[in-house]
Amino acid sequence: MIVTVTLNPAVDIAYKVDHFKIGHGHRVEPGRKTAGGKGLNVSRVLKKLGENPVCTGFLGGNNGKWIMDQLGQEELEHTFIEIKGETRTCLAFLDEELGTQTELMEKGPVVSEEEQEEFEEVLKQLMSEAGMIIASGSLASGIPASYYREIGEWARAVHIPILLDTSGEALEKGIEGKPFLIKPNKDELCNYMNQPDLTLDEMIAAAKKICGQGVQYVLVSLGKEGAILVGNDHFLKAEIPTVQVVNPVGSGDSMLAGMAYALQKKYSLEECLKWACACGTANAMEQGTGTIQPHIVQELIRKTKITQEEKG
Ligand code: ATP
């Protein structure tokens, strides 16, 4: 069983607004409302691959109830802690004419210490049955930046691999928990290294430095350029096919789902990287976020090339 952790889910509402203009009113059709959160996207893709993941985290208020109801409709198993605060709403304004997307993202509710303790109990319980934990996204207010480090430590104590996908301070501190794998994109790795840009060699060096801190693998996603997977004593590079891109949002989440799926099946590292890239790319080919078609994933796996280099 794979458990996905989403500490700050959201009700996402996307409006189509042609000629979006700041400071002006716009009449719009009803927005498209979805249960958002990186861990939920990961779960959706895992479900499409035939897994039965369990989603956990914090949900509260009417938005929280709505998300739980949606997850029920999607037949996604969930065990969320119900909190006093209201789960956030995030708004996106899509201007198809200009090809722009403007977003307003609420920070999220405050999660109290008691609610965090309740979550610790639930997650530790889930860990007694889980084969892998995937923790993704930002931290809700009130949750210390070191929370992913703590989750990493709980997982390590019971020998369960944890895959972490977050950014900024949460990533910095999360690395100290020695997760099995982290998945920064290039920008997130640059931020971590305090650099405006990094060459491929610099990315490999940065990833190796992170591995030196106890992380087994660093999967750096590079959008249409593919990805690299760096371990302590070697690195793999994936070249992916060119495809018709419809909506790449959520490709990172889909990639993590593909990686988790393949790791769990104990495929070789090369195969794991192929699965990860194929799921990311398959998502980019769909309109929905966290959506893949398994037969397209198979086709993309066949077209993905992995090169391997030993680097001491
Ligand atoms: P997000 O935050 O939207 O989830 P991300 O920045 O974490 O995304 P990306 O690097 O954009 O992650 O994408 C993850 C993977 O998805 C890439 O490594 C690649 O395999 C695939 N992918 C993303 N964008 C494209 C694209 N335009 N064409 C083909 N594949 C893509």
Side-chain angles (χ1 to χ4, degrees), residues 38 41 165 183-188 219-228 238-256 273-285 289 300 304:
K38 291 173 76 62
N41 293 336
D165 180 10
K183 192 220 77 62
N185 60 24
K186 189 178 175 184
D187 283 349
E188 288 160 350
L219 172 59
V220 187
S221 67
L222 305 169
K224 65 176 171 23
E225 306 298 328
I228 56 172
E239 270 174 50
I240 60 172
T242 304
V243 298
Q244 187 83 37
V245 174
V246 179
N247 175 16
V249 177
S251 285
D253 305 333
S254 306
M255 166 172 246
L256 203 56
L273 182 56
K274 282 187 183 180
W275 272 86
C277 288
C279 287
T281 303
N283 173 78
M285 293 166 73
T289 301
L300 292 167
T304 302

Side-chain angles (χ1 to χ4, degrees), residues 2 4 6 35 37-49 51-56 67-80 289-290:
I2 299 177
T4 66
T6 314
K38 291 173 76 62
L40 302 187
N41 293 336
V42 174
S43 290
R44 287 184 179 109
V45 173
L46 284 169
K47 180 101 187 166
K48 283 269 186 181
L49 295 174
E51 293 295 309
N52 199 14
V54 178
C55 316
T56 187
I67 289 179
M68 269 192 227
D69 185 51
Q70 286 300 114
L71 296 180
Q73 287 183 32
E74 292 179 54
E75 295 181 8
L76 281 172
E77 252 189 73
H78 57 87
T79 314
F80 277 89
T289 301

